[in-house]
């Protein structure tokens, strides 16, 4: 994709201009050839043959340029990433605090230097080879002058100096045109090598079967069932999920817990069909997810990922993106913001909901991570989807905002299917059901009380969460976060509207 992206802007235009170059060269060549034919046919053949070394040189170096570019895709990527990091305001504080500026600059310089050295070497060799072939052309022009003079005498043509020069100039002109045509041909060859990457990129098939125009996903979803689902990421031998049997139901909230790498996020990726299961199947009200039209499926599932998407748009657009068709519906955007606890914060911005959330733009404002998280949660609320997936939705929130959000999620889950992934807030009432995952498998499930009574993995995690042990390395938890919300907030632990 990197190669295709890099070449797609310039190469097609280059091919076009090269093609028109061939036409112009052909016209020039034809007129010069017509003059030479009045004198001698072998002269014309010589003109064609003399250019062949140049053609070969250009073909060879065209292919070498492509091979070089192909082989250093990773180096180019590294240069771009490292270069970008050094001007990224979000990353700079970390670079400075770790004292990494010189190291990163050194890494960047190392990659950039090897890049330039390869370019210099290639261009030096190419120039040398091209110069050699041009010398051949120049020598041939001298030879042609001598040959025309020889013809003049041997055939008794009685040409004047001007007459000889006319043929020599026609030869030079024809040669130039022929060289131009050759250059265009080799340019097209080189350009088409690069365009092959673009073609190959377009031919890449998605890792899943896309059913556009398949079944429309129903507005009300009663059940999503994972049946013996196993999944391996493309090009990975390890199973990220294996033997997962799990049913999510309308009106029920489920909390997925487990150490990093347990497969929680992967499970949600399968749910919105970023990937399809390697084995087993996922059924939505009894129908395989693959049967549904992808757009309508994703419209029905609101997801907030851990790496939330911060768009350089206004707050209104950032939230409205959750449902592009209703993006301009101010009341709906404000309601989504209110539910995510973002409304007051946005209204305090200089232009309120019309403030651009990026300081790189005029009058733009920067938000904190916690504020961004609320905006992104509001975006998912905007969708009003029957299924809602929140991956660590409270990770960047302060205690108060977290409590309010969990209340909202509790309220929302009564009318939808809510899937929550969290290391935090492992306390009674957080969800109707808790599913504990480890190494891609479900190891426990049940309600909070049952799992605590069982004394298994969840009980251990909850104990860690609720005690100072959470800061010990073997916990496998995000220790600093786990201690941050130790105080018991009654409101958070109680499901609004649920039976006491
Ligand atoms: P969790 O959300 O529980 O922390 P994940 O679902 O992100 O765990 O990861 C499960 C496993 O899948 C891990 O072993 C992880 O390394 C692997 N994994 C996650 N994303 C990818 C990916 N894009 N490509 C390959 N492997 C991945």
């Amino acid at each position: 994709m990197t190669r295709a992206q890099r070449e797609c802007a310039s190469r097609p235009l280059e091919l076009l201009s090269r093609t028109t170059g061939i036409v112009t060269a052909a016209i020039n060549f034809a007129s010069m050839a017509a003059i030479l034919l009045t004198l001698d046919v072998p002269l014309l053949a010589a003109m064609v043959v003399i250019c062949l070394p140049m053609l070969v040189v250009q073909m060879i170096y065209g292919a070498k340029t492509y091979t070089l570019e192909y082989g250093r895709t990773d180096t180019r990527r590294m240069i771009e990433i490292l270069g970008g990091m050094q001007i990224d305001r979000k990353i700079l504080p970390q670079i400075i605090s770790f004292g990494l500026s010189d190291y990163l600059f050194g890494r960047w310089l190392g990659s950039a230097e090897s890049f330039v050295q390869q370019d210099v070497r290639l261009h030096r060799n190419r120039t040398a080879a091209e110069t050699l072939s041009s010398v051949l052309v120049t020598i041939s022009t001298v030879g042609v002058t001598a040959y025309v003079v020889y013809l003049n005498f041997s055939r008794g043509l009685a040409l004047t100096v001007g007459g000889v020069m006319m043929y020599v100039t026609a030869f030079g002109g024809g040669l130039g045109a022929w060289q131009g045509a050759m250059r265009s041909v080799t340019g097209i060859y080189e350009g088409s090598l690069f365009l092959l990457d673009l073609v190959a990129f377009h031919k890449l098939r998605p890792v899943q079967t896309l059913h556009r125009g398949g079944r429309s996903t129903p507005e009300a979803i009663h059940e999503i069932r994972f049946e013996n689902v196993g999944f391996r990421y493309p090009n990975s031998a390890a199973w990220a999920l294996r033997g997962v049997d799990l049913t999510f139901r309308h009106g029920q909230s489920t909390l997925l817990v487990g150490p990093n790498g347990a497969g929680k996020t992967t499970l949600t990726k399968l749910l919105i069909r970023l990937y399809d299961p390697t084995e087993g199947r996922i059924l939505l009200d009894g129908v395989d997810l693959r049967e549904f039209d992808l757009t309508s499926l994703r419209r029905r599932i609101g997801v907030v990922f851990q790496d939330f998407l911060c768009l350089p748009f206004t707050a209104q657009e950032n939230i409205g993106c959750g449902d592009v068709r209703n993006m301009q519906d101010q009341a709906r955007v404000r309601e989504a913001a209110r539910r995510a606890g973002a409304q007051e914060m946005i209204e305090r911005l200089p232009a309120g909901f019309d403030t651009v959330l990026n300081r790189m733009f005029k009058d733009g404002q920067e938000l904190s991570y916690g504020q961004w998280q609320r905006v992104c949660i509001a975006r998912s609320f905007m969708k009003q989807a029957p299924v809602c997936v929140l991956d660590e939705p409270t990770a960047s929130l302060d205690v108060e905002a977290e409590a309010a959000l969990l209340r909202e999620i509790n309220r929302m889950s009564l009318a939808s299917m809510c899937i929550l992934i969290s290391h935090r807030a492992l306390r009674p009432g957080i969800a109707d059901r808790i599913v504990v995952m480890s190494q891609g498998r479900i190891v426990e499930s049940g309600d909070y009380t049952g799992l605590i009574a069982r004394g298994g993995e969840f009980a251990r995690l909850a104990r860690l969460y609720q005690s100072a042990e959470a800061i010990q390395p073997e916990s496998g938890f995000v220790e600093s976060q786990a201690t941050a919300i130790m105080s018991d907030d009654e409101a958070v632990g109680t499901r609004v509207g649920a039976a006491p």
Side-chain angles (χ1 to χ4, degrees), residues 233 236 240 259-266 269 275:
Y233 279 95
S236 172
N260 295 330
K264 307 179 296 290
T265 305
T266 304
K269 286 180 187 167
Y275 302 95

Side-chain angles (χ1 to χ4, degrees), residues 109-328:
L109 201 60
S111 301
E113 267 175 2
S114 80
F115 211 81
V116 172
Q117 278 164 8
Q118 287 167 346
D119 272 345
V120 168
R121 208 174 305 129
L122 183 80
H123 284 291
R124 198 180 49 212
N125 294 345
R126 183 174 194 156
T127 309
E130 283 181 355
T131 308
L132 212 63
S133 52
S134 327
V135 168
L136 194 70
V137 171
T138 312
I139 292 171
S140 72
T141 313
V142 177
V144 163
T145 312
Y147 181 61
V148 174
V149 172
Y150 162 76
L151 287 181
N152 189 21
F153 288 114
S154 64
R155 294 185 191 170
L157 299 175
L159 290 173
T160 60
V161 173
V164 172
M165 287 315 294
M166 182 188 75
Y167 286 113
V168 173
T169 308
F171 182 83
L175 203 60
W178 182 236
Q179 279 178 316
M182 290 297 101
R183 231 172 261 128
S184 294
V185 168
T186 52
I188 288 173
Y189 167 69
E190 188 175 329
S192 59
L193 284 179
F194 283 96
L195 278 187
L196 284 180
D197 283 333
L198 194 60
V199 174
F201 174 67
H202 277 288
K203 279 191 180 160
L204 282 180
R205 290 282 133 246
V207 290
Q208 64 205 150
T209 328
L210 295 182
H211 275 284
R212 295 219 177 259
R215 281 173 189 246
S216 177
T217 314
E219 282 190 22
I221 296 174
H222 302 103
E223 182 187 278
I224 296 180
R225 182 193 297 269
F226 281 62
E227 271 187 5
N228 192 30
V229 168
F231 177 68
R232 274 194 301 230
Y233 279 95
N235 306 323
S236 172
W239 290 92
L241 288 178
R242 199 79 204 268
V244 173
D245 285 305
L246 187 59
T247 305
F248 299 101
R249 293 198 174 81
H250 173 84
Q252 182 192 49
S253 58
T254 303
L255 172 71
L256 298 178
V257 280
N260 295 330
K264 307 179 296 290
T265 305
T266 304
L267 195 140
T268 63
K269 286 180 187 167
L270 297 191
L271 198 59
I272 54 165
R273 292 203 58 216
L274 285 183
Y275 302 95
D276 284 331
T278 312
E279 59 183 29
R281 55 187 193 153
I282 304 171
L283 303 174
L284 189 154
D285 287 337
V287 179
D288 195 308
L289 272 196
R290 284 171 271 222
E291 297 289 317
F292 292 102
D293 167 70
L294 200 57
T295 312
S296 78
L297 176 76
R298 291 185 180 156
R299 208 169 273 151
R300 300 275 180 265
I301 304 176
V303 187
V304 180
F305 284 111
Q306 284 178 52
D307 303 320
F308 34 83
L309 180 65
C310 306
L311 298 166
F313 302 155
T314 62
Q316 166 90 23
E317 282 173 292
N318 256 292
I319 296 174
C321 279
D323 181 359
V324 177
R325 292 169 306 177
N326 292 301
M327 185 180 264
Q328 300 310 329

Side-chain angles (χ1 to χ4, degrees), residues 391-405:
D391 194 347
E392 291 291 0
T394 62
S396 308
L397 300 189
D398 57 50
V399 182
E400 213 173 313
E402 178 182 66
L405 180 67

